Amino acid sequence: MSKKILFLINGLGLGNSTRCSAIIESLVKKNCEISVITSGNGEWFFKNKEHIKDLYTIEAIKYGSKNNRINIFETLKGVPKREKTKKENSEKIIKVINDYKPDVMVTDSVYLSNKIKKLEIPIVAINNADIVLEKFRQYEKKPKSIYLQLYCVESLDYFYHKIIPHRIISPDLIFEKSKSKINNFIRVSPIVRNGIKKNSSTLPLRGGIMLSGSNFGIKVKLKNDYKNIDLTVIGRDEPEGWEEKNNIKFVGKIKNNIDLLNNIDFCVVNGGYSAISELFWANIPMIVVPVPNHAEQWINAKQIEESGCGLIANENNYEDHIPKLINNFENFKRNFLNFSNNKNGAEESANIITEI
């Protein structure tokens, strides 16, 4: 029997939207009807999507920032304003729920009140705070700059998900799937969009730079000369004063970057979970540039480094790491053999959602 499913998706960046889109594609194959509530980049991404019945918008809830970086003190100062926005959003969400009458709600970083839980509609969340906290405890020599964000955001995220959702789908990058359900956290394989292919590297190597499109995205200012590789900058327009070069191409913000990802051999990427998951699944070595002060992104980057499938860099030195990656490219590619996984967490997630 088909189900009506309402997705509530955070629109700060595009990662939440792309992974939910992958799950939605699997649900549509099961004849489910899908509507979406989102904000910001999510509204742009899902507008005019054929498989979405209705698209509703709410106000975006953002991290506090200073000098274009996440700032926990600014985040805490903004709590009253965010609580007001959450209340207003909850009222809009409740109205949509009453009108749409979904069989299941799926949330990805949109936080629901207990009032909504009392409507007794099953809530499935997509969240990996359990993995973030688990990995944080395992790693030594963690940067002190991520502690506040971990305790004030990631820990609260984990406790929220223990209380409100009925099930939590937790995508596991390195695929250390737990056989048991821990507080209803169900670990699945990396969530990957349909059409992403396993990489077969070519010569000369083709590189990509795909840094976040959120407010915390790092500016792309290429200083080095890349004569021996083709380089595509995904999601960014040419910077002012850019001198055009045949082997470097800037591709602006696009909804579907699958063909671009299928035509690169390595990538410079921020530590967002969705982008890293697709690159890792596709066996594409990467240079990960975690957003400063962001615990989850640092932990994601650390997993890639420890797996031997990439390097950690920062906004000031990521270009210097490109030659290091190229010079040891075969070793990075070989290390993916230790983590080969053809399963897609999107299909696993769709099964969990329809079976609840």
Side-chain angles (χ1 to χ4, degrees):
M1 179 179 172
S2 63
K3 291 189 175 185
K4 294 171 66 175
I5 301 173
L6 180 64
F7 273 74
L8 300 97
I9 304 168
N10 184 292
L12 180 60
L14 280 174
N16 304 94
S17 296
T18 55
R19 71 179 178 186
C20 284
S21 180
I23 296 170
I24 288 169
E25 286 179 11
S26 293
L27 289 168
V28 168
K29 291 178 184 176
K30 294 175 176 288
N31 297 316
C32 293
E33 180 184 288
I34 310 294
S35 286
V36 171
I37 299 176
T38 188
S39 60
N41 283 305
E43 180 183 4
W44 172 83
F45 182 85
F46 284 105
K47 192 173 182 179
N48 300 323
K49 287 271 188 180
E50 291 182 2
H51 48 260
I52 304 299
K53 182 180 183 297
D54 293 303
L55 178 64
Y56 307 91
T57 58
I58 55 176
E59 192 70 26
I61 296 175
K62 302 175 181 178
Y63 287 116
S65 64
K66 189 174 182 179
N67 299 325
N68 210 38
R69 293 188 175 188
I70 292 174
N71 185 285
I72 197 63
F73 298 109
E74 293 297 324
T75 298
L76 294 174
K77 278 168 59 178
V79 166
K81 183 178 179 180
R82 282 195 299 278
E83 288 304 313
K84 181 175 181 291
T85 301
K86 284 181 184 178
K87 184 177 178 181
E88 293 171 352
N89 285 348
S90 290
E91 292 171 0
K92 291 181 183 179
I93 292 168
I94 289 172
K95 185 178 186 309
V96 172
I97 291 169
N98 289 333
D99 291 342
Y100 186 61
K101 296 180 174 57
D103 298 304
V104 183
M105 290 187 288
V106 180
T107 70
D108 192 337
S109 301
V110 174
Y111 299 93
L112 306 180
S113 65
N114 198 47
K115 185 177 180 180
I116 293 177
K117 184 174 183 178
K118 288 179 180 178
L119 295 174
E120 297 185 349
I121 298 170
I123 300 170
V124 179
I126 303 165
N127 184 269
N128 67 331
D130 61 314
I131 296 174
V132 173
L133 294 178
E134 178 183 304
K135 295 292 182 184
F136 183 84
R137 289 190 292 268
Q138 292 176 5
Y139 291 137
E140 298 179 357
K141 297 182 180 179
K142 300 174 279 280
K144 292 180 180 177
S145 60
I146 69 172
Y147 276 71
L148 273 175
Q149 198 269 348
L150 180 109
Y151 291 126
C152 295
V153 177
E154 301 295 339
S155 296
L156 293 178
D157 206 20
Y158 174 71
F159 289 119
Y160 162 86
H161 283 90
K162 286 175 65 176
I163 296 167
I164 298 294
H166 299 90
R167 296 283 187 277
I168 304 94
I169 294 169
S170 180
D172 193 346
L173 183 64
I174 306 297
F175 199 55
E176 296 169 351
K177 237 179 168 185
S178 172
K179 293 181 180 179
S180 61
K181 297 177 183 177
I182 305 171
N183 295 313
N184 287 331
F185 281 82
I186 307 170
R187 294 189 179 176
V188 300
S189 309
I191 295 173
V192 179
R193 286 172 293 168
N194 187 36
I196 297 286
K197 299 176 182 177
K198 296 287 187 180
N199 172 263
S200 298
S201 57
T202 60
L203 292 175
L205 294 178
R206 303 158 299 177
I209 295 179
M210 188 172 64
L211 298 173
S212 172
S214 77
N215 293 341
F216 306 109
I218 295 168
K219 292 182 179 179
V220 178
K221 297 179 180 179
L222 298 176
K223 307 185 295 277
N224 299 340
D225 194 2
Y226 298 97
K227 291 182 179 178
N228 299 321
I229 59 171
D230 290 325
L231 194 62
T232 302
V233 183
I234 302 169
R236 301 293 178 86
D237 295 320
E238 292 180 359
E240 188 175 344
W242 172 254
E243 183 180 336
E244 190 170 337
K245 300 176 183 178
N246 290 334
N247 63 322
I248 300 178
K249 180 171 63 174
F250 282 79
V251 180
K253 189 176 176 183
I254 57 175
K255 291 185 179 181
N256 189 341
N257 61 10
I258 290 175
D259 286 343
L260 292 169
L261 294 182
N262 286 338
N263 283 283
I264 60 174
D265 301 306
F266 69 89
C267 193
V268 178
V269 65
N270 280 130
Y273 205 82
S274 295
I276 282 184
S277 293
E278 291 189 334
L279 293 169
F280 186 79
W281 185 90
N283 299 340
I284 297 175
M286 64 196 96
I287 297 166
V288 188
V289 187
V291 167
N293 307 330
H294 198 297
E296 184 206 349
Q297 291 214 2
W298 182 85
I299 288 166
N300 294 341
K302 191 68 177 174
Q303 290 185 76
I304 295 300
E305 182 186 63
E306 287 207 337
S307 70
C309 298
L311 301 167
I312 297 180
N314 60 50
E315 60 188 317
N316 298 315
N317 68 7
Y318 69 84
E319 276 198 85
D320 298 331
H321 282 63
I322 292 176
K324 298 177 186 177
L325 190 77
I326 292 173
N327 291 338
N328 294 284
F329 186 79
E330 292 304 320
N331 288 332
F332 289 115
K333 286 290 289 186
R334 197 176 300 114
N335 288 333
F336 278 104
L337 296 175
N338 299 320
F339 305 97
S340 182
N341 174 23
N342 292 318
K343 293 183 178 180
N344 191 336
E347 296 171 7
E348 296 174 344
S349 300
N351 290 333
I352 292 167
I353 291 165
T354 53
E355 290 169 5
I356 190 170

